[in-house]
Amino acid sequence: MRPLAALARALRDGGSPAVRIEVHTDASGPLEARRSLTQRRADAIKQHLVERGVDAATLHSVGMASSVPRRGNDPYAGSNRRVEIVRL
């Protein structure tokens, strides 16, 4: 929760630049389940930030599932499970 609190402060106090909240996972399990899981997580992060004063219009949540692995040679690697905040 500390990183999210710091992010909320930075976005709120810095004029809320538009950002995309990307949630990624590894290749474990059915694709549709991974898509749903990552979208729910991205939406939950967005809601958390909105509850802390960040303008919802500046936040775009996207569940990426396993479409962009960090370690392409091992789609099941734990490093593929991550959240990335991308400034738009």
Side-chain angles (χ1 to χ4, degrees), residues 4-81:
L4 287 179
L7 177 61
R9 259 190 318 278
L11 292 173
R12 187 181 59 239
D13 299 344
S16 284
V19 297
R20 182 174 56 242
I21 303 160
E22 294 181 354
V23 178
H24 302 262
T25 189
D26 63 19
S28 300
L31 177 58
E32 192 52 44
R34 287 180 273 142
R35 284 184 182 146
S36 176
L37 172 69
T38 56
Q39 187 61 54
R40 287 191 320 268
R41 287 180 177 171
D43 291 342
I45 292 168
K46 177 179 178 177
Q47 183 61 37
H48 181 83
L49 295 172
V50 169
E51 289 171 0
R52 275 135 195 89
V54 180
D55 181 3
T58 65
L59 302 172
H60 308 280
S61 56
V62 180
M64 302 294 287
S66 58
S67 63
V68 186
R70 179 171 281 165
R71 294 191 56 199
N73 61 338
D74 184 3
Y76 297 96
S79 62
N80 292 323
R81 296 185 300 267

